[in-house]
Amino acid sequence: APAATAGGAPASAAPSRMSAFIGTKVAVSTDTEEFTGVLFAYDDASSTAVFVQAIEHTTIKSTIRMIKNSSIKEIKIVGPPTAPPAALPHISKDRVHGREADRRGVAEKRASQIGVDVTPEAQSVFDALVKTYPCHWDGKTIVVLDTTRVAPPYTAESCSG
């Protein structure tokens, strides 16, 4: 349970009772970092806290951090509760789906450029070629421009087409 203090001294907030501290400025210590922010929301189902952290000296006013309870080592209350947090901005589902599709396409393209059961040297040759020419794998053979084939051992003598 959270500790109550007099005179504004820091108190600790137990992660299991985080929703009671929404709108409160807290200092958070995790497995890898420490920061100060306002607890914006807490989801009991996923045990995830959402913090708004102010950013100074930039045109961006704040950033949002989502952190699982299991990563939180300590939370200290460092300020009184503020006004209820503003609603999150509207997020276009079409834009999110578009970005997801773009990222998936990039990931699928990168995955298709990784040779199966090829040597590191063969992958290095492929990686160098694909920077300049459209290439793909056909088994262990590199196909360049759909016309030239570079077979193991990936030398000038092993090129055909």
Side-chain angles (χ1 to χ4, degrees), residues 7 56 62 135:
E56 297 179 10
S62 62
C135 301

Side-chain angles (χ1 to χ4, degrees), residues 114-140:
I114 299 172
V116 177
D117 294 327
V118 298
T119 64
E121 293 79 13
Q123 188 65 54
S124 292
V125 170
F126 181 93
D127 292 344
L129 287 169
V130 80
K131 288 179 183 176
T132 308
Y133 304 105
C135 301
H136 66 272
W137 288 100
D138 181 15
K140 293 186 179 189

Side-chain angles (χ1 to χ4, degrees), residues 97-113:
H97 292 301
R99 288 181 66 176
E100 177 186 15
D102 290 346
R103 300 304 190 282
R104 185 180 302 119
V106 168
E108 288 171 353
K109 181 178 179 182
R110 296 275 299 140
S112 73
Q113 294 177 343

Side-chain angles (χ1 to χ4, degrees), residues 20-41:
F21 295 96
I22 290 175
T24 303
K25 187 172 184 180
V26 294
V28 180
S29 296
T30 70
D31 297 329
T32 58
E33 64 184 335
E34 295 181 0
F35 67 91
T36 301
V38 175
L39 179 61
F40 182 84

